[in-house]
Amino acid sequence: MPNIKSAKKRVKVIQTKTARNKAIKSDLKTALKKADAAVIDNADNKEEVVKAAIKKVDMACTKGIMHKNKAARKKSQLAKKLG
């Protein structure tokens, strides 16, 4: 455990950011799995599910969780599966 005040604050800030990042990653993974399942099952709402997954990918990219090239690749893969 740190003794210096600024180091203690850094621990708190890192814990907060880690929790936020983990939540975003979890939501992203869930959305991608739902999109894959909807496309494979040829569900009625597959366009909406894929659109939601693309939105989650964009959000992860904006927040710095995912690199922009990886985000573009994921979006392209989703569009390819849909089309």
Side-chain angles (χ1 to χ4, degrees):
M1 191 67 189
N3 295 321
I4 300 168
K5 186 178 179 181
S6 61
K8 290 177 183 177
K9 182 177 178 182
R10 292 308 310 158
V11 169
K12 284 184 183 179
V13 170
I14 289 168
Q15 285 176 343
T16 305
K17 287 184 176 185
T18 301
R20 189 196 78 191
N21 292 345
K22 192 172 184 181
I24 293 170
K25 279 184 186 178
S26 178
D27 287 345
L28 175 65
K29 288 178 187 176
T30 303
L32 290 173
K33 285 179 187 175
K34 283 183 182 178
D36 283 340
V39 170
I40 289 170
D41 296 341
N42 202 13
D44 296 333
N45 63 343
K46 65 182 178 182
E47 290 88 7
E48 294 138 23
V49 176
V50 169
K51 189 175 179 182
I54 288 174
K55 187 174 180 180
K56 293 282 185 183
V57 169
D58 282 334
M59 192 177 83
C61 181
T62 303
K63 299 289 184 183
I65 307 298
M66 182 184 284
H67 192 271
K68 65 179 184 175
N69 290 351
K70 182 176 179 181
R73 187 171 66 242
K74 284 288 183 191
K75 287 165 44 176
S76 174
Q77 288 170 348
L78 285 170
K80 188 177 178 183
K81 286 178 186 177
L82 187 62

